[in-house]
Amino acid sequence: MKVTVVGAGNVGATCADVLAYREIANEVVLVDIKEGFAEGKALDIWQKAPINLYDTRTVGVTNDYSRTADSDVVVITSGLPRKPGMSRDDLISTNAGIVKSVTENVVKHSPNAIIIVVSNPLDVMTYQAHLTSKLPRTRVMGMAGILDTARYRAFLAEALNVSPKDIQAVLMGGHGDTMVPLPRYTTVGGIPVTELIEEDKLNAIIERTKTGGGELVKLMGTSAWYAPGSAAAQMVEAIVRDQRRVFPVCVKLEGEYGIDGVYLGVPVILGKNGIEKVIELQLNDEEKQLLEDSRGHVKEVMDALDKMSANA
């Protein structure tokens, strides 16, 4: 198995490191446009192999996509990270151009690859990669829901003073302030979370989850990387090992939840073919309205991208 990670910045390097450490692929190729950057990161990860006892070879290249040929999975993390005061949507024009160029190179050398997009604004960059690649929706997806649910579960574990391993949760919608956490589908060791925490505390955790990325940008001056990189690696693992795991993933909806042609986070089964199935939950009226609000926001940004592309 061969996995390529495009973008050797913090998120990409973390993803490559987790893939290597967990021996998810035989070879991990890191690609970056900055001379020597990917080579250095890949060499550093490889030199850790005798210490952490793994066999995965990590290789770095500067803008040479021929070295990525015949990758099974490609993770795209390229693009500018968020700076303080910058919304995800501010990134759209710059990052859309980067994702378009990267996707063209990926598909040229690995036409059978499954593509996972991590670049922001996530939902719209997934749309861009899908437009450019012309691949089926099952093979082009965005990583957001795993990261968002991880934040949600981490905050809950802290509040309840329990292991994060025992918390399961589902989030839907766009990545960012309009995401839709579903307390009804949140459990702790199988127990509904609503039986273990007061409503006001749960609502505060949900609000913190929605702005979880922004909280880290304020603290560090740049976007997070440990959790996003690990989340992308978890998706790669589910595909490479055909685990058929149930994850919230950004995918083009084609009638599910009454939505057509918009890229939103929904629960799916992830396996060797990419998205094996989109799971359609029975949402109540309040949840449907929140998802509709999220759809509207993502569609606005998709329309903005379409206008930029038309005027380019």
Side-chain angles (χ1 to χ4, degrees):
M1 281 287 173
K2 181 175 180 179
V3 176
T4 289
V5 180
V6 185
N10 289 332
V11 176
T14 298
C15 180
D17 185 34
V18 174
L19 290 170
Y21 180 68
R22 292 177 59 82
E23 296 188 313
I24 289 163
N26 304 86
E27 183 181 22
V28 175
V29 181
L30 259 179
V31 185
D32 205 275
I33 56 168
K34 188 176 172 184
E35 189 73 42
F37 196 55
E39 289 89 336
K41 294 273 183 94
L43 184 58
D44 194 15
I45 294 168
W46 174 238
Q47 289 171 355
K48 191 163 63 73
I51 301 166
N52 285 346
L53 305 177
Y54 54 81
D55 299 313
T56 299
R57 288 301 306 263
T58 49
V59 179
V61 293
T62 302
N63 236 11
D64 178 11
Y65 283 86
S66 65
R67 191 67 184 77
T68 72
D70 301 320
S71 293
D72 296 283
V73 185
V74 177
V75 180
I76 300 176
T77 72
S78 317
L80 298 179
R82 272 206 297 172
K83 299 291 183 194
M86 185 188 276
S87 77
R88 284 190 173 86
D89 301 347
D90 293 336
L91 297 172
I92 181 173
S93 57
T94 303
N95 285 357
I98 293 169
V99 169
K100 183 174 187 288
S101 168
V102 167
T103 305
E104 285 168 350
N105 283 308
V106 164
V107 174
K108 179 181 172 187
H109 294 282
S110 302
N112 298 316
I114 290 167
I115 298 174
I116 298 170
V117 179
V118 185
S119 310
N120 274 322
L122 188 282
D123 311 284
V124 183
M125 291 306 103
T126 306
Y127 171 45
Q128 178 67 72
H130 196 184
L131 278 179
T132 306
S133 69
K134 299 180 176 63
L135 293 172
R137 69 166 181 164
T138 53
R139 286 172 49 203
V140 184
M141 65 200 77
M143 187 295 297
I146 294 175
L147 171 62
D148 294 331
T149 53
R151 287 173 173 159
Y152 178 46
R153 289 154 67 197
F155 298 152
L156 280 171
E158 210 172 4
L160 295 169
N161 197 20
V162 299
S163 168
K165 294 175 186 175
D166 288 331
I167 300 176
Q168 290 291 327
V170 179
L171 280 148
M172 291 177 61
H175 182 47
D177 301 348
T178 65
M179 73 176 73
V180 185
L182 299 169
R184 216 158 51 86
Y185 292 98
T186 305
T187 60
V188 183
I191 303 162
V193 72
T194 47
E195 293 185 20
L196 299 171
I197 191 169
E198 296 88 345
E199 189 178 357
D200 59 334
K201 285 186 182 172
L202 182 58
N203 287 337
I205 286 170
I206 288 170
E207 289 310 309
R208 188 182 178 194
T209 302
K210 287 181 180 180
T211 57
E215 180 181 354
L216 287 157
V217 172
K218 279 181 195 161
L219 289 168
M220 302 189 295
T222 188
S223 297
W225 61 87
Y226 294 124
S230 299
Q234 190 174 53
M235 287 177 69
V236 175
E237 182 179 31
I239 293 164
V240 167
R241 295 186 172 153
D242 193 23
Q243 292 177 328
R244 298 185 66 84
R245 298 213 47 194
V246 177
F247 288 137
V249 165
C250 177
V251 61
K252 180 186 182 185
L253 293 179
E254 295 178 346
E256 296 90 356
Y257 299 96
I259 296 169
D260 197 31
V262 177
Y263 291 73
L264 283 177
V266 294
V268 307
I269 296 172
L270 209 53
K272 67 179 179 183
N273 300 308
I275 293 169
E276 305 281 355
K277 182 183 179 183
V278 174
I279 297 171
E280 203 161 355
L281 303 175
Q282 298 301 310
L283 301 182
N284 62 32
D285 289 344
E286 183 188 357
E287 292 158 350
K288 282 177 186 168
Q289 186 55 55
L290 289 169
L291 189 63
E292 175 55 29
D293 294 345
S294 194
R295 182 208 66 80
H297 175 75
V298 171
K299 186 68 169 71
E300 273 179 30
V301 190
M302 284 174 62
D303 290 344
L305 176 64
D306 289 339
K307 278 181 192 151
M308 284 176 199
S309 302
N311 295 331

